Amino acid sequence: MRFGCGYPMGPLALLDLIGLDTAYEILDTMYKQGRDRLHAPVPILKQLVTAGFLGRKTGRGFYSYEGPEARSSSRTRSPRTRGRQPQPTRPVRTIGVVGTGTMATGIVEVFAKAGSRDVRRRSPAKVDGVRTTIERSLDKAIQRGKLEESAKGDTLGRLTGTTSLDDWRRSTSSSRRSPRTSR
């Protein structure tokens, strides 16, 4: 969420900051008042609270926090990776994005800038709209000196649209078999 959408933190880190016990009580109260299942606290939240993992204030919630700066530090480590060397990530060659909003367009732009070869959307009108929105965003970045003109062409060259799920499936299965350098 931080890198793809530009938010200061993801939803789990925000829950740790608020306090899992506080979040649970708020959600439980909202659920009891309106009986809207959207507000019902998820079981993992209750399990963490019961275990005493309340977030930054206890040093552990969805993430682990170390030292006296645990309450204010924005650096978090997943409990699953503690004590292990980080594994190298594999390159993303093809992604599929189905959706229509600003967030979906932002995700497409971030992946295209990062080097993903094909980014797919669902309808022809949406494909054109996404491409236009990304072009405007890249133009602003160029005007502000945050992007070179050549990077705009490279980024836009990675965008491909389709209205067919079969096209997307063929694209993702072929990218798993062998790396593609051009389309």
Side-chain angles (χ1 to χ4, degrees):
M1 295 303 288
R2 288 178 28 222
F3 300 116
C5 299
Y7 293 149
M9 67 179 65
L12 301 180
L14 179 60
L15 283 170
D16 276 354
L17 179 65
I18 292 169
L20 301 184
D21 54 336
T22 304
Y24 179 83
E25 290 301 322
I26 291 168
L27 288 168
D28 192 48
T29 301
M30 289 172 64
Y31 176 68
K32 286 176 181 173
Q33 287 179 354
R35 291 293 177 200
D36 184 348
R37 291 183 50 86
L38 178 68
H39 300 125
V42 295
I44 187 71
L45 199 54
K46 179 153 184 130
Q47 292 167 356
L48 289 168
V49 170
T50 302
F53 301 146
L54 307 180
R56 288 188 183 187
K57 59 186 162 190
T58 60
R60 181 139 183 225
F62 284 102
Y63 299 98
S64 293
Y65 304 86
E66 298 171 7
E69 72 283 350
R71 289 177 168 245
S72 62
S73 171
S74 63
R75 292 176 51 191
T76 60
R77 270 175 89 182
S78 168
R80 293 181 297 180
T81 60
R82 201 172 343 130
R84 284 191 270 160
Q85 290 295 330
Q87 298 296 314
T89 57
R90 66 178 178 82
V92 176
R93 289 182 174 52
T94 304
I95 64 163
V97 178
V98 179
T100 58
T102 303
M103 187 177 292
T105 303
I107 292 168
V108 169
E109 183 177 349
V110 166
F111 274 96
K113 282 180 181 175
S116 293
R117 296 287 176 201
D118 299 304
V119 181
R120 309 226 173 237
R121 296 281 298 193
R122 196 164 45 168
S123 77
K126 298 297 180 191
V127 170
D128 294 340
V130 167
R131 186 171 197 88
T132 301
T133 301
I134 292 173
E135 282 184 57
R136 280 194 303 251
S137 175
L138 296 173
D139 287 338
K140 286 180 187 176
I142 291 168
Q143 289 172 355
R144 294 178 182 150
K146 295 181 177 183
L147 189 69
E148 296 292 322
E149 185 72 36
S150 62
K152 176 184 174 184
D154 292 343
T155 300
L156 293 174
R158 294 183 189 109
L159 300 178
T160 312
T162 185
T163 58
S164 166
L165 185 57
D166 290 335
D167 288 346
W168 182 77
R169 284 184 182 142
R170 276 191 296 277
S171 172
T172 57
S173 65
S174 66
S175 69
R176 281 188 218 124
R177 284 192 303 267
S178 64
R180 286 180 303 180
T181 56
S182 63
R183 184 86 173 133

